[in-house]
């Protein structure tokens, strides 16, 4: 069974930084795109950042210049470095991965989320 586990969330003051991590484990043949989403109370889940297997990245406009997504393929891990945090960044952050498991099935897998709270 493949699973994603996020860590690194917490409470931080506006202007501060946090680094989220997400580890994919289980019977994985290859991990393709890896992404971070977030969902604030009363809002729809939105894509924050995505990184391809070749490390091509893309970000939602609201985090460009503040957040950086990266990955370590050897560890099946994706990171989200969040700087200059704002109260509007408060949300549950979810990790997602498109991967091929050991049975050669392509799957989209989600983590359970980690809470990020930015105080003003």
């Amino acid at each position: 069974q493949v699973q994603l586990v996020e860590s690194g969330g917490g409470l931080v003051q506006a202007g501060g930084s946090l680094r989220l991590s997400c580890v994919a484990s289980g019977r994985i043949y290859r991990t393709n795109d890896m992404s971070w989403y977030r969902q604030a109370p009363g809002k729809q889940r939105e894509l924050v950042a995505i990184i391809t297997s070749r490390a091509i990245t893309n970000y939602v406009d609201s985090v460009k210049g503040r957040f950086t997504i990266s990955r370590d393929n050897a560890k099946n891990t994706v990171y989200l470095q969040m700087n200059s945090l704002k109260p509007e960044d408060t949300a549950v952050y979810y990790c997602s991965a498109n991967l091929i498991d050991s049975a050669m099935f392509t799957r989209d897998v989600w983590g359970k989320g980690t809470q990020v709270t930015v105080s003003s």
Side-chain angles (χ1 to χ4, degrees):
Q1 186 175 357
V2 178
Q3 63 176 356
L4 301 180
V5 178
E6 303 100 333
S7 62
L11 173 64
V12 64
Q13 289 188 333
S17 298
L18 284 174
R19 188 191 193 210
L20 305 183
S21 300
C22 172
V23 180
S25 63
R27 297 180 177 271
I28 299 171
Y29 172 73
R30 186 176 69 218
T31 304
N32 299 319
D33 295 352
M34 301 187 81
S35 311
W36 287 97
Y37 287 74
R38 66 185 179 187
Q39 187 166 18
K43 295 188 177 182
Q44 289 189 334
R45 189 174 298 188
E46 68 168 347
L47 176 63
V48 176
I50 185 169
I51 184 167
T52 70
S53 58
R54 297 184 179 184
I56 297 171
T57 61
N58 201 6
Y59 301 88
V60 67
D61 285 347
S62 59
V63 307
K64 285 181 179 178
R66 300 189 297 122
F67 291 11
T68 302
I69 189 171
S70 60
R71 64 190 289 167
D72 184 333
N73 290 330
K75 297 180 179 179
N76 281 329
T77 300
V78 62
Y79 306 97
L80 187 67
Q81 178 66 45
M82 305 185 295
N83 299 329
S84 302
L85 282 161
K86 304 175 180 180
E88 50 264 43
D89 294 317
T90 295
V92 178
Y93 284 71
Y94 297 90
C95 173
S96 178
N98 177 270
L99 53 83
I100 302 172
D101 63 23
S102 58
M104 297 302 166
F105 289 110
T106 300
R107 304 170 60 186
D108 288 320
V109 184
W110 290 82
K112 294 183 178 180
T114 185
Q115 176 70 47
V116 171
T117 302
V118 184
S119 63
S120 57

